[in-house]
Amino acid sequence: SLKNMLPLGFAFMDLIHYPYSSPLDRKLRNQLKELYEKEYVEFYLRVRWAMAVVNVIIGLLFTMLLYLTSEDALLIGVGLGLSALMGYVVFYKMSKEIEERHRGITLDLPDFTNKLLILSGAGLGLKAAIVKVSKEIDKSTPFYSALRHAVYLMENGSTDEEAMDYLAMKCNLLAVRRLCSLMLQNIRRGGADVFFALREIGNELWNARKAATKQMAAEAETKMMFPMMLMFVAVILMVAMPAVMAMGM
């Protein structure tokens, strides 16, 4: 399997003394911080690069095989392009994973802010409201999983700032960073103005949720179109093939 070939990828990266300090590496680190705990980020960064190297090697071996069987020089260029694409797929898949994660967070945020508004309006302090919501909702989505761990940090010796920083890191969206900043400011200083600020952010989040829902519906439509197009082509071939064969006879 591909995992058994990872040592080959690690060996190649060590051989070329790759420094893991490019702008792409910085972007990958930020993405990996959302998917894994901080202490594992460097390990998984190297795993992703090793996977990309293994994919490229497989592509190059396939290119050599094609060339040896056909001796067509054009296949070398095609194979090199295919090899590069296979390496890129590793990073593309991670970007899509982050995109799906952010979409899920965008869908969860309006409900969370709405619950905070209700609890704050009922006289509960914001920190107590955050703790209450985290313990009442048992959804295992990225946002609520990160929220529960942030509350765990609050209750086990970490500062409120560290807990909010963790939540903002795991849900790396501008809306979450704004929300974390607002919650931290209110936890520190108190004040009744948090209700109005939460309501304003909540309205923005509902609009973002509507946009995300529309995008999901559009993507679902596109995905449904592809098999329909294949069926259409198949029907055309089934209808046209007898006529073509008859003309040939």
Side-chain angles (χ1 to χ4, degrees), residues 202-219:
N203 290 334
E204 294 175 10
L205 292 174
W206 279 110
N207 290 331
R209 179 173 176 169
K210 289 175 187 175
T213 304
K214 286 180 181 177
Q215 185 180 354
M216 289 170 66
E219 287 179 3

Side-chain angles (χ1 to χ4, degrees), residues 156-207:
N156 289 273
S158 297
T159 64
D160 297 331
E161 185 174 2
E162 287 171 341
M164 289 297 103
D165 283 346
Y166 176 86
L167 183 59
M169 178 184 70
K170 285 294 180 181
C171 308
N172 190 21
L173 287 170
L174 178 60
V176 178
R177 291 197 295 272
R178 283 183 60 204
L179 189 58
C180 288
S181 177
L182 173 66
M183 292 189 295
L184 184 60
Q185 184 178 346
N186 182 263
I187 290 169
R188 282 174 175 172
R189 303 177 187 174
D193 57 340
V194 67
F195 183 83
F196 302 103
L198 271 175
R199 188 167 61 182
E200 182 183 343
I201 291 176
N203 290 334
E204 294 175 10
L205 292 174
W206 279 110
N207 290 331

Side-chain angles (χ1 to χ4, degrees), residues 13 19 64 80 82 85 125 131 137 186 249:
M13 298 303 285
M64 288 174 60
L80 290 174
L82 179 64
L85 184 62
V131 173
I137 298 180
N186 182 263
M249 293 173 65

Side-chain angles (χ1 to χ4, degrees), residues 48-166:
R48 301 287 170 155
W49 272 109
M51 288 170 64
V53 168
V54 168
N55 279 5
V56 170
I57 290 172
I58 292 172
L60 290 175
L61 290 174
F62 183 67
T63 301
M64 288 174 60
L65 183 63
L66 281 178
Y67 179 71
L68 290 173
T69 54
S70 66
E71 295 187 356
D72 187 350
L74 180 63
L75 289 175
I76 295 179
V78 174
L80 290 174
L82 179 64
S83 302
L85 184 62
M86 288 174 67
Y88 170 74
V89 161
V90 173
F91 306 115
Y92 176 76
K93 284 175 68 176
M94 190 165 76
S95 293
K96 294 301 288 183
E97 187 178 353
I98 293 293
E99 188 179 311
E100 286 297 315
R101 180 183 176 88
H102 286 176
R103 185 176 296 168
I105 292 167
T106 301
L107 295 177
D108 278 336
L109 280 175
D111 289 328
F112 173 67
T113 53
N114 192 45
K115 290 181 186 303
L116 289 186
L117 278 168
I118 293 170
L119 293 171
S120 299
L124 199 64
L126 187 58
K127 183 174 180 178
I130 294 167
V131 173
K132 185 176 176 64
V133 171
S134 74
K135 292 182 177 179
E136 285 184 349
I137 298 180
D138 60 354
K139 292 169 70 175
S140 59
T141 57
F143 175 74
Y144 283 108
S145 297
L147 178 67
R148 277 192 292 274
H149 192 77
V151 169
Y152 171 81
L153 292 175
M154 282 181 181
E155 295 178 332
N156 289 273
S158 297
T159 64
D160 297 331
E161 185 174 2
E162 287 171 341
M164 289 297 103
D165 283 346
Y166 176 86

